[in-house]
Amino acid sequence: MNLIAFSMKTKGVRNFARRLWTVFTRFGISEKRTRKALYALIDLLHKYHAAPTFFIPAVVLQRHPSLLRAISGDGAEIGIHGYVHNDYRSLTESQQYKQTEQAIAVFQSSHIPYQGFRNPYLGWTEESLHVFTALNLMYESNEAVIHDVIDPDQLSPLQRSGYEKSLMLFQAIEPTIYSLRPHFEGSLLRLPTSIPDDEMLFDRLRITDPGEIGRIWCQVMQQVYDYGGLYVLNLHPERGILCRRALSILLQYARNRPHPVWLARLDEIALWWKERSQFRIHITRLGSHRWRVEATCTPRATLLARYLIVEGQSSSTSNIVGATALPRPLTLACPLQCIVQSEKCPCIGVSPRTSQAVQDFLSEQGYPFVSSSLENADTFSLYLDMPEDLGDTREGQQYRCSELVQQIEQLDAPFLSFGCWPAGYHAALAISGDIDSVTIQDFFLRVIEVSSKNGANSK
Ligand SMILES: [Zn+2]
């Protein structure tokens, strides 16, 4: 599907005409306007000691290597956004492989370091995941989590149908405690992105007041914060100047949360999640209600303890705030060795027949477990007997993983686990942007590039 077909299909003719007009107002003949927009975002994030992640199609990078090298030198991460700006859903696996390989070659010859990939239109397929894995990309950022921040009843029928079409195109999934966490599929890390993005708000729903956009993004931030997850904001630098105030509102909001929010680039988050996946907790029984805990981890790790007494610590961790709230976990510095007192072993017991997939999942999520027979089930805070894998379909897997994480996080019993984020951060926020075009010429070349690439592939 080319750009015009895509725009017509999802936005209608009137919206497409409006889009054409805005192209002329947002891009210039030279790089100047885009450079200004990119630096508006970089400079704003710099005030928060952070930097953005930009994704760019390789052909666009090829036309503007010095601009990309400059922003990379100024702290921005650059990721791959296709060889051309096309939808991978219209390509076979070998076509996807070839184009991703070509894109990588352009990044390498332009001396731009890259770690991750985001598909144009977030159009990923199962084959894309194989391709990214085979080509050793560290992460992809395509899974679109839709937050309930737009009231469909307030939209005109046209806006509503456009909004719903976007959700279908982006293959949107529900926000849960699990879907908002990074996760591995084999060696490939998946970093979910949150929508609505700037394009849905500005161009589709015609919300142009930066205060209102900022308010919507803060609402998303709050939802993600409540889950202790990752908020990847996706915006297009062509709206960098328009988005600056909204982004400033979001950053201020994130900074003012009661617990700190980690502002990081996607490659930093991916590296952290890789580091964290190696952490382990070993628990040995010392006697009645006493356990030796050894955490194998780096100093960036946070160990969370609840409903137990850590010997040598001044207070127990069973302090409950309010009648229904979860206990506030005690944060312990890592690496760590300590002795804890608790009625039950503060980890998960798993039956010998529990599947490897479930055990790998628990490890990745930072939950300690021990294989144990059913007779000893009640010596553990939680006992799992899950012989089956986590589900045959993606939806089924999402559901079961979310249920499991939710069940563990709400355990009303002694438990130790690793915090999701480094250095005691409660949630994470990454500002990412897709540089689809730098100049007006790039914008119109897209149409030719995409059709010739798809045409070449169909031969
Ligand atoms: Zn794009």
Side-chain angles (χ1 to χ4, degrees), residues 55 57 81 85 118-122 236 434-437 446:
F55 293 93
H81 195 44
H85 197 277
R118 174 178 288 153
N119 286 71
Y121 317 110
L122 304 176
H236 292 76
D434 300 346
I435 311 173
D436 294 342
S437 311
R446 256 166 82 172

Side-chain angles (χ1 to χ4, degrees), residues 249-412:
I249 293 169
L250 169 66
L251 294 171
Q252 201 56 39
Y253 187 83
R255 179 184 268 180
N256 291 337
R257 292 311 82 213
H259 300 292
V261 173
W262 186 32
L263 250 171
R265 310 188 319 193
L266 291 175
D267 60 345
E268 294 171 315
I269 288 167
L271 273 174
W272 159 250
W273 205 259
K274 260 185 114 162
E275 179 182 322
R276 182 184 180 273
S277 69
Q278 303 301 313
F279 299 169
R280 295 289 178 271
I281 301 170
H282 302 279
I283 300 174
T284 341
R285 190 188 168 94
L286 288 179
S288 157
H289 300 178
R290 278 184 93 225
W291 312 87
R292 179 193 305 283
V293 176
E294 289 165 285
T296 313
C297 54
T298 64
R300 292 212 291 169
T302 306
L303 190 65
L304 304 175
R306 46 184 143 132
Y307 290 117
L308 48 79
I309 293 167
V310 182
E311 291 188 2
Q313 296 270 335
S314 52
S315 64
S316 95
T317 62
S318 55
N319 41 340
I320 298 176
V321 188
T324 54
L326 281 170
R328 199 168 46 223
L330 183 71
T331 301
L332 304 168
C334 284
L336 163 136
Q337 278 197 18
C338 65
I339 293 168
V340 302
Q341 296 173 16
S342 74
E343 202 183 311
K344 298 201 171 193
C345 182
C347 74
I348 301 167
V350 297
S351 68
R353 62 178 192 155
T354 291
S355 71
Q356 192 58 44
V358 172
Q359 296 186 34
D360 291 347
F361 177 74
L362 294 174
S363 285
E364 190 205 336
Q365 295 298 320
Y367 300 131
F369 62 91
V370 176
S371 179
S372 177
S373 62
L374 192 59
E375 298 90 76
N376 296 323
D378 62 355
T379 60
F380 294 93
S381 289
L382 176 69
Y383 188 81
L384 296 176
D385 178 32
M386 296 175 69
E388 266 122 57
D389 284 350
L390 286 156
D392 298 333
T393 61
R394 228 160 237 294
E395 294 72 31
Q397 252 173 42
Q398 277 280 345
Y399 180 78
R400 289 193 80 182
C401 291
S402 298
E403 290 281 292
L404 193 51
V405 173
Q406 187 77 18
Q407 184 189 4
I408 295 168
E409 291 295 329
Q410 290 187 338
L411 260 184
D412 205 3

Side-chain angles (χ1 to χ4, degrees), residues 188-212:
L188 180 71
L189 190 56
R190 307 199 70 188
L191 305 179
T193 184
S194 283
I195 52 173
D197 66 356
D198 63 320
E199 192 186 41
M200 289 166 83
L201 297 175
F202 274 94
D203 290 356
R204 204 177 281 285
L205 301 182
R206 312 299 302 154
I207 303 171
T208 51
D209 171 27
E212 178 63 4

